[in-house]
Structure formats: C-alpha cells, structure tokens
Amino acid sequence: MKKGQEEIVGFIIIIIIMSVVALVFLGFALRSSDEAVGDSFQARSLLESMLEFTTDCAVGYIPAYGRISELIRECNENSASKCVDGRIICEALNQSLKEMLGKSIAFGEDRPVKGYKFEAKYELGENSDEVISLSSGICLGAVSGAEYPIPSDSGSIITRLEFCG
Amino acid sequence: MKDLAVNSSRGQMKVQQMAFVLIAIVLFFALAGILLLSLQTSSLKNTAENLRDERALQAAREIATTPEFSWEIDECRSCIDLDKAFLLKERQGYKDFWELSLLRIEKIYPEGEGECTKTNYPECGKITIVEKEDIFNAKSSFVSLCRYESSEKYYKCELGKILIAGEGLQ
C-alpha cells in the first residue's frame, strides 16, 4: 500500500474511534435524563383529589360512605372486610378507582399519555406490602407521576399514580 | 544539498498533513459540540415551558384554596365547596374579582350534564362563574367538589376540574 493511502486509512480509523467515543458519551448523557420520573403537578392534583372521592361503599353504617383513602386503609387492615351492602371493600375500591381513572385520564395509543399505573403499598420500615394495584393502556416506561402518603397503623400507605408515555 | 532540500520539503509536507489532520479533528469536535449544545438548549426550552405551565396550573389550584371556594369541614387542600361556588355564580360583583376571562368548575366523576341552575343543582355538569369573550390558553387542575348531601345527610366529595384563563394567570 502506498504511504498516502496508509495515512488516509489511519485518519479514517481515528475519526471512527472518536465517533464511537462521542456516541457513548451522548448515550450516557441522554439516558440519565430518561431514568428519572418527573413529579407531575397534574398527577399530584389528580391523586390528591381522587383520594378525597366519596364512594358508594358505606363502612359500618349508612351514611358513613368511605372516601378512597379510607377504603385503602380498610383494605390494608382487613382484605375481607365488607361494605354495608355486602361488597368486599377492596373490590368496591378497585371498581371506583378504575372508573374514576378511566373518566379523568385521556389515554390511548395515539395520545401523549399511553396508559397509567396506580398502586398503594403499605410501608413499615423496610417492609412493603401491596394493598392495591391497577393499570391500563400501554405502560412501558413512566413519563411522570406523583406520590401521596396515607398514615395507617404504625406505618403509612404510599399511593402512587404514574402516567406512561 | 539536494538530499537536504528533498528531505526538508518532505518534512514540510508532513507538517502540512499534520496541520490538516488537526484542523479536521478540531472541526469534528466543534460540530459535535454544536450538536450537543443545540440538544441541551431545546431541552432547556422544554423545561422552561413546563415550568410556565406548572405555574399556571398551580394558580388554578390556588383559587380553590381562597375563602370563596375553600372547604371548611375538614382539612383538604384540594377540596372546593361546591355549594359556595354555586352561590358565587349568581353574584355579579365577583365577575371581575380575579381578573380572569374564564373561571369554570366541571364535574368529571360521576359525570354531570349541562350548566348548573337552581332547578338542576347538584345533578349538573358545570358551574361557570366567569366567561368573557376572549378566552385563550385555559389551564385546568383537578380538584375535589364537596357538598352537603341533604337527602342522606352526609358530606360528599366528587372528582372535578377547575378551569381558568386570563390575565390573572400572568
């Protein structure tokens, strides 16, 4: 091979190596901004408002209709407990949440929000027990979300709502 | 002498080649830097727009905490007293109170239909307190709509939205 050709090959190899290094750095820089789920004001306001919703499940007597936050607490303390009308509290809670989220979030394949995920976990120290979890739509990665704690017994129930994009 | 001249010109060629390589490397890094900067600038613009939107959404939420709307029965920042809001609808003095072109409360769940009047309240869909002609860039925030349910004698909260638009948001 002639000297000039050798030098050009060497030059091209240097460019390729620099491109690979630059791509690796770019990959790290972009990935780190994707991992964090932003706290969304909309998610937070929806979550807080949802927890105050009065359901049609009366706990103990009529008209002690429980709010979503109260039903979550009841469901955590005793998963077999029932509403006055005979429905299991956890099931009534699940149904109310599903209907409410379906009406309040416009999601779909061709929309910015592709799906959502709602969960409530009882946390005491390092232990964590799931109380309720529901999701709908396509949820490959959360775009934004919010958390709200509900005090319960000696620990707290952390409710979390995520919008998926 | 001739050899010296030839070697010297070869050396000059090498130096020139090196110079061109260095210029190419610098140009490459400059282009990569410009690309990275433009990516970061566009994400900064997004962040600024998101912050502006969030501030408008918070303003919508803060109206819910004013005495005209606040729910006094229990501590609930996201709760609006729907009965108070309905009474405000009739008060002409509040039309310019908030410097807004739009102030509306809508029921999301359970759904209601139509504007609230004395004949259909509370089985209705929305309460419009302020609605002027030029409405643009309306913001909305989720709130709880609470009221006293007189038929069964208990306090009831439903899911709703507060919509606002206008100069009062700036």
Side-chain angles (χ1 to χ4, degrees):
Chain A
M1 219 160 146
K2 290 182 183 172
K3 262 193 185 163
Q5 286 173 344
E6 280 175 10
E7 286 180 12
I8 286 175
V9 166
F11 182 63
I12 289 170
I13 288 171
I14 289 170
I15 295 292
I16 289 170
I17 290 170
M18 285 193 306
S19 307
V20 166
V21 168
L23 277 170
V24 166
F25 274 119
L26 201 67
F28 274 120
L30 289 175
R31 197 198 301 167
S32 62
S33 61
D34 283 342
E35 273 171 0
V37 175
D39 180 52
S40 155
F41 183 80
Q42 281 285 44
R44 203 169 349 120
S45 69
L46 176 56
L47 184 58
E48 285 180 14
S49 305
M50 261 172 44
L51 293 174
E52 297 297 332
F53 179 80
T54 310
T55 65
D56 55 2
C57 170
V59 181
Y61 62 94
I62 288 174
Y65 293 104
R67 295 191 178 181
I68 294 281
S69 54
E70 290 160 6
L71 294 194
I72 291 176
R73 220 179 275 128
E74 287 288 333
C75 186
N76 174 53
E77 285 167 11
N78 180 5
S79 57
S81 54
K82 291 184 179 179
C83 312
V84 164
D85 61 8
R87 287 179 298 161
I88 293 181
I89 286 182
C90 294
E91 286 173 9
L93 172 65
N94 201 319
Q95 190 187 350
S96 291
L97 283 169
K98 234 182 211 162
E99 284 174 9
M100 211 176 352
L101 285 165
K103 292 279 183 204
S104 45
I105 305 171
F107 66 93
E109 271 185 34
D110 50 348
R111 289 179 184 267
V113 177
K114 306 274 184 270
Y116 67 82
K117 214 165 39 174
F118 174 86
E119 62 178 16
K121 285 185 176 169
Y122 175 67
E123 290 183 4
L124 178 63
E126 287 183 12
N127 295 329
S128 173
D129 289 320
E130 188 178 275
V131 178
I132 188 166
S133 171
L134 45 97
S135 63
S136 192
I138 304 162
C139 222
L140 297 171
V143 172
S144 58
E147 274 185 7
Y148 193 86
I150 302 171
S152 174
D153 290 337
S154 2
S156 61
I157 299 172
I158 308 294
T159 57
R160 182 158 181 81
L161 176 64
E162 284 176 2
F163 295 149
C164 309
Chain B
M1 261 320 258
K2 234 188 203 172
D3 282 344
L4 193 64
V6 165
N7 281 340
S8 166
S9 70
R10 247 194 228 152
Q12 281 171 347
M13 277 289 291
K14 294 274 180 197
V15 168
Q16 270 179 5
Q17 280 172 11
M18 190 53 153
F20 281 128
V21 167
L22 285 173
I23 289 169
I25 289 171
V26 165
L27 273 173
F28 174 79
F29 276 116
L31 282 170
I34 289 169
L35 179 68
L36 212 63
L37 205 68
S38 70
L39 278 174
Q40 282 186 344
T41 312
S42 76
S43 95
L44 256 175
K45 273 191 198 156
N46 269 346
T47 309
E49 253 184 57
N50 286 343
L51 278 172
R52 222 177 288 123
D53 276 348
E54 269 213 21
R55 209 167 48 186
L57 292 173
Q58 278 183 354
R61 193 68 180 274
E62 272 165 21
I63 282 181
T65 62
T66 57
E68 286 77 17
F69 292 103
S70 62
W71 177 246
E72 310 289 344
I73 303 302
D74 45 26
E75 276 184 31
C76 174
R77 264 180 44 97
S78 65
C79 297
I80 277 182
D81 191 325
L82 199 64
D83 296 333
K84 275 194 210 176
F86 181 61
L87 289 172
L88 268 180
K89 183 182 157 64
E90 307 298 322
R91 305 278 289 270
Q92 291 302 318
Y94 276 94
K95 298 295 176 195
D96 295 314
F97 184 69
W98 293 280
E99 291 176 5
L100 295 170
S101 54
L102 174 72
L103 175 56
R104 185 187 291 149
I105 293 162
E106 287 180 2
K107 219 195 276 191
I108 294 176
Y109 184 77
E111 267 178 305
E113 267 185 38
E115 184 70 33
C116 292
T117 61
K118 282 179 187 163
T119 47
N120 64 9
Y121 181 81
E123 309 305 325
C124 49
K126 53 185 175 174
I127 297 174
T128 304
I129 297 166
V130 176
E131 189 174 30
K132 295 183 180 168
E133 278 176 13
D134 298 323
I135 298 166
F136 57 92
N137 204 20
K139 297 291 174 198
S140 66
S141 181
F142 290 102
V143 287
S144 296
L145 306 177
C146 301
R147 57 183 172 82
Y148 181 65
E149 179 62 57
S150 51
S151 57
E152 288 187 81
K153 295 183 175 38
Y154 73 102
Y155 294 107
K156 182 178 186 170
C157 294
E158 295 168 326
L159 183 66
K161 253 187 185 180
I162 182 167
L163 283 98
I164 63 173
E167 287 175 9
L169 282 183
Q170 307 299 328

